Amino acid sequence: AIRSAAALIDVSPLFKYRITGADATRLLDRVVTRDVSKARPGQVLYTSWCDGHGKVIDDGTVCRLGEQDYRLTSAEPSLRWLHRNAFGMQVAIEEISEALGALALQGPLSRAVLNAVARDPVDTLGYFRAMDNRIAGVDFQVSRTGYTGDLGYELWIPAGGALAVWDELMAAGRDYGILPAGIWALDVARIEAGLVMLDVDYHSTHHAVIESQKSTPFELSLDWSVALDKAPFNGRRALLAEKGRGPAWRFVGIEVDWDSFEALYAAVGLAPAIPAIAWRASVPIYREGRQVGYASSGCWSPLLKKYLVLAHLAAPHFAPDTPVEIEVTVEHRRLRAHARV
């Protein structure tokens, strides 16, 4: 449904914060890696945020609602951390996680479904932009964002009206093949899109036990989201130094060679076994006989008809088209299949 029609996903469990006041922009520019001051009202920024050593704590979105009014979403609780960074600033930080429902309407027909029931058409809503709208008598904000790599929207709805909006979208979407979807479907879509997931593809520095479990934005291939030319922010000095020497690791996509993979099973008289849902595990990646990294998630892509893996590779083994091998366990034996970055 995500790739050919439309899917509706409840993403309300995200943590959400409203940040307002004279220093709201200054606070966010201090803590996240994007240049928040350049965002206009109605614009959404994807960003990560780091500790003082440039290691990623979490990633999420910042939506500029007004001149000094923002909504921050995160996967981990961030209220205490935000307050610590706001010391001495004129800023109010309100947790609105319980008060605000969030629905992701994703897929190539999502715009048609939304237009069928929304008060205002969303045809002109730009990528990573937001607007106010109304469905079933409920006022909400819709942003052209999502976690699938496809056309899609996220609806930010007062919790009391979220069920009514869900029901209206599902009723209108029947003619378009809409389906309710959950984390298993979302996991496949985000791997196809090459999108990183906290606690699967990287550890928050708040939970890492040893230094090697931490990652920088550059190591997660999020260079484009780091504005080193803006005012000082958490981790800037460390990230400047890393930019100069180059990252030690990169987060990359890997395509497993199907013939090689299939042959490992055929050798013992079996058909190749691919899990029906995305897997989340640490799987060694090799090159020229030695381990050069590890995969953190992977899936069979129904869209591309390929076996895709997301992995962390050490320098210099992460260049596109680099031949590698991935560990595959067949009948209790650890073997290797050919793959490429």
Side-chain angles (χ1 to χ4, degrees):
I2 290 172
R3 296 299 183 220
S4 63
L8 193 57
I9 307 158
D10 181 8
V11 292
S12 300
L14 286 169
F15 289 90
K16 314 167 201 85
Y17 303 94
R18 190 80 176 262
I19 301 169
T20 57
D23 290 327
T25 303
R26 182 176 162 221
L27 168 62
L28 285 167
D29 258 336
R30 171 185 285 185
V31 298
V32 306
T33 58
R34 295 291 294 274
D35 190 342
V36 177
S37 67
K38 292 182 178 178
R40 298 178 179 179
Q43 185 173 353
V44 185
L45 302 176
Y46 169 79
T47 187
S48 60
W49 44 97
C50 301
D51 63 15
H53 303 288
K55 306 294 185 176
V56 178
I57 297 171
D58 201 348
D59 65 307
T61 60
V62 174
C63 181
R64 190 164 196 167
L65 305 172
E67 201 55 42
Q68 291 289 352
D69 187 357
Y70 297 88
R71 180 180 60 244
L72 172 72
T73 67
S74 65
E76 288 275 324
S78 302
L79 187 62
R80 181 170 177 264
W81 178 78
L82 287 168
H83 275 291
R84 290 180 65 186
N85 280 278
F87 183 78
M89 293 188 183
Q90 296 180 38
V91 64
I93 305 166
E94 178 188 5
E95 173 147 2
I96 56 172
S97 302
E98 297 290 331
L100 198 63
L103 302 179
L105 177 63
Q106 303 286 303
L109 301 184
S110 57
R111 179 179 296 150
V113 174
L114 196 51
N115 279 343
V117 290
R119 179 193 63 196
D120 303 319
V122 295
D123 300 86
T124 60
L125 184 60
Y127 189 48
F128 269 71
R129 297 296 188 274
M131 64 180 283
D132 294 331
N133 219 319
R134 185 179 178 89
I135 291 177
V138 179
D139 293 315
F140 64 95
Q141 187 183 67
V142 55
S143 57
R144 190 176 153 191
T145 52
Y147 196 45
T148 64
D150 219 302
L151 175 66
Y153 302 87
E154 290 177 311
L155 285 62
W156 309 92
I157 313 162
L163 285 176
V165 174
W166 173 285
D167 290 343
E168 198 79 3
L169 288 168
M170 289 300 296
R174 285 194 192 102
D175 292 338
Y176 298 91
I178 197 171
L179 287 175
I183 187 62
W184 286 356
L186 194 60
D187 225 5
V188 171
R190 67 99 189 168
I191 291 172
E192 287 180 335
L195 302 176
V196 66
M197 179 177 277
L198 177 68
D199 289 334
V200 176
D201 300 309
Y202 77 97
H203 295 282
S204 168
T205 59
H206 288 171
H207 301 302
V209 179
I210 55 177
E211 196 63 28
S212 62
Q213 292 177 343
K214 302 175 183 179
S215 304
T216 71
F218 297 129
E219 290 172 340
L220 295 178
S221 297
L222 296 176
D223 313 40
W224 59 273
S225 70
V226 181
L228 291 173
D229 57 346
K230 70 169 184 172
F233 61 93
N234 290 353
R236 180 176 181 270
R237 184 178 300 173
L239 292 174
L240 269 172
E242 184 182 11
K243 179 76 171 178
R245 66 177 180 269
W249 292 81
R250 280 289 198 188
F251 185 62
V252 299
I254 289 179
E255 180 184 329
V256 180
D257 180 82
W258 184 256
D259 290 340
S260 171
F261 182 79
E262 187 178 42
L264 299 180
Y265 286 86
V268 294
L270 291 174
I274 295 289
I277 61 174
W279 52 262
R280 304 174 175 185
S282 179
V283 177
I285 302 291
Y286 300 88
R287 187 182 183 200
E288 297 174 352
R290 67 185 184 93
Q291 187 174 350
V292 295
Y294 61 96
S296 48
S297 54
C299 69
W300 171 257
S301 167
L303 177 72
L304 301 174
K305 306 297 187 287
K306 293 178 178 180
Y307 189 7
L308 305 179
V309 172
L310 298 180
H312 301 259
L313 296 183
H317 308 289
F318 44 63
D321 294 319
T322 299
V324 293
E325 293 179 310
I326 184 170
E327 185 173 280
V328 180
T329 301
V330 180
E331 282 299 284
H332 322 294
R333 294 179 61 215
R334 293 180 178 179
L335 307 172
R336 298 176 190 178
H338 297 301
R340 67 179 181 87
V341 178

